[in-house]
Structures are given as structure tokens and as C-alpha cells.
Amino acid sequence: MAAEILNGVEVAEHIKQGVAARVKELAERGIKPGLAVVLVGDNPASKVYVGSKVKTCEALGLYSEKYELPPDTTTERLLSVIQDLNQRDEIDGILVQAPLPSQIDSKLIFDSVDPAKDVDGFHTTNVGRLVRNEDALVPCTPAGIIELLDYYKIPISGANAVVIGRSDIVGKPMAMLMLHRNATVTICHSKTRDLPGVARQADILIAAIGRTAMVTGDFVREGAVVVDVGMNNATTTEEVERIFPEAERVKRLEVLSKRGSTLVGDVEPRTVIDKAGWLTPVPGGVGPLTIAMLMKNTLRAAEKRREEKRV
Ligand code: GUN
């Protein structure tokens, strides 16, 4: 039996509708949550992400500003942009698009954002609060995955959750969120012995490694929930034929010939689709959730900052 599809587009729409409704209520009180998005350099993928973040703000009634800085921007220059945004009352959320160029001290930059405006949840203070299970702004992708699992009523408490990947943006916060929901959590990485064997223990398997179709059917227990966080490109006919089930190949080969590549995750659908119980597609799975959660975090930051000001 083919896996049920976890539809990230549908869940993202649901989240965004909730945000838009609340933004409308705030507008009646003269409040408009504002997001500043900062992009350094000209990474084409980052440009697309930043563009869609700004567009989504407009669609939901949030105020937004976009800053595009040249690739040779210094840490000092970027710091001064962020410090200015920290001071401005109409800005509730600040997002500095990662990855930053190598001359920039990324950790210093993420820690320069006011924790109350840190809608990415990258600041040391928010990381610490998340670890202590205190009220925190939480990274958008893992927070979105929890919303996805909840939307489909997939039980987390008591489940064996295996996270492949230990990044600060996805793997580590994902593991923490699952732990706080009482899952038994294993984090795997490049040095893990018998990775497929460990992954097969999972009731919920999260693939966040950034390696094209690395997670094959051999990694998946029959009926497991598989969440694919990967955003990679397949660029050859051979890859497309190896990665995708027959039913999807024609469409994928069309995309490949039109655009020179087709989006593929960290999971190989051809071998996973008939083993998993549930699977997120790429595209249309985790991706849309990240932006929806950014909107939710910006709304939350706006509400919280105003609450704190009243006291
Ligand atoms: N680059 C890839 N994912 C993200 C994200 O969630 N936030 C930021 N700021 N940069 C990213």
C-alpha cells in the first residue's frame, strides 16, 4: 500500500488563515506586525526564499521590509543594520537569511538580533529557552513539522523519533521539540553506526541531512511516518529514474527538461512510498510550513512585545 501523503500546502494554508484572522483583529486596534528580512549576497535560492517571505507577509496583512546587501558586506556593517532594526518599534521580527557569506561572523550576527524579535529562534537565549522548555521563539521548520504531525493527529508521545541530521536550524531543535512532546528521540549523523538499522527503529523518521535521496526504503520500518526536510536538485535523467516511482517520472522529466533540474528531498520516494505509512512530498511538504511558521512567529513576537510593554 502506498503511503498517505502529508500535505504541507494544506497545513500551511490552515496556519496562514489563522494568522491572517488575528492580524485583522490587531489591525482594528491599529497594530500591524512587521517583519524585516535581511539578505546578504546573491545566492539565487536565498533570493527566492526571501522573495516568497515578503510576498506572504503582504498576502496576510503584515508589514515587511527587505534589505539586500552586497556579497562583500562586513560583519560590522550587518551589525549596524540589525541594531537599527532592533531599535525600531514597527519592526517585530528580524530574519537574517542563512547561509551568510564566509567573511561574516554568523554566530555573532544571530546573537545581535533582539531575542524578542528573533523570529528564526537562532539567538542563544531562544535556544536556551527551547532546551529548558520555556516560552521561546522556535525555529520555523521544526515548529512547522510539529504542527503538521498534530494536524494529522499523529501521536508523538511515546513514539520512537529518529532525526537524521544535527543542524542548529533543523536537527537539534527538532529533537528538542519531539523530546518535549515525550517522544523517545535519537539523533543520527555521519558517524552513526548502522544508520539504516537505527532509522528502522523509528515510528517517526525525520530526514534533515541535505543529501539527495539518501534515505531509501532500507531505512524505513513498515508503516512509519517519514518527514522529508531536504531541498536538493536532481539534474540528470538517470537520477530522476532512480529516485522517483514510475507514476511520477514523466512529470519530473518534463520539469527537468524545462528547468534543468527538479526538486528532490533527502528521501528516495521510489523505494519509500510503499513502505512508509505517511510521507511528506517534496515539493509541497515541509517547505510551505516554514514560511507559514515564520508568519506565526512574527505575529507572536508582535503580540508578546506589546504585552510586555503594557506591564
Ligand atoms: N536558510 C535556510 N533555512 C532558513 C531559515 O529557516 N531561516 C533563515 N534565516 N535562513 C534559512
Side-chain angles (χ1 to χ4, degrees), residues 53 95-98 120 122 169 290:
K53 285 164 185 175
L95 178 139
V96 183
Q97 185 66 30
D120 257 328
F122 292 173
I169 300 186
T290 301

Side-chain angles (χ1 to χ4, degrees), residues 15-24 60 62 292 295-296 299:
I15 295 166
K16 287 190 287 185
Q17 274 171 23
V19 172
R22 182 70 187 134
V23 167
K24 215 167 149 201
L60 303 189
L62 284 86
M295 301 299 121
K296 195 167 170 177
L299 168 64

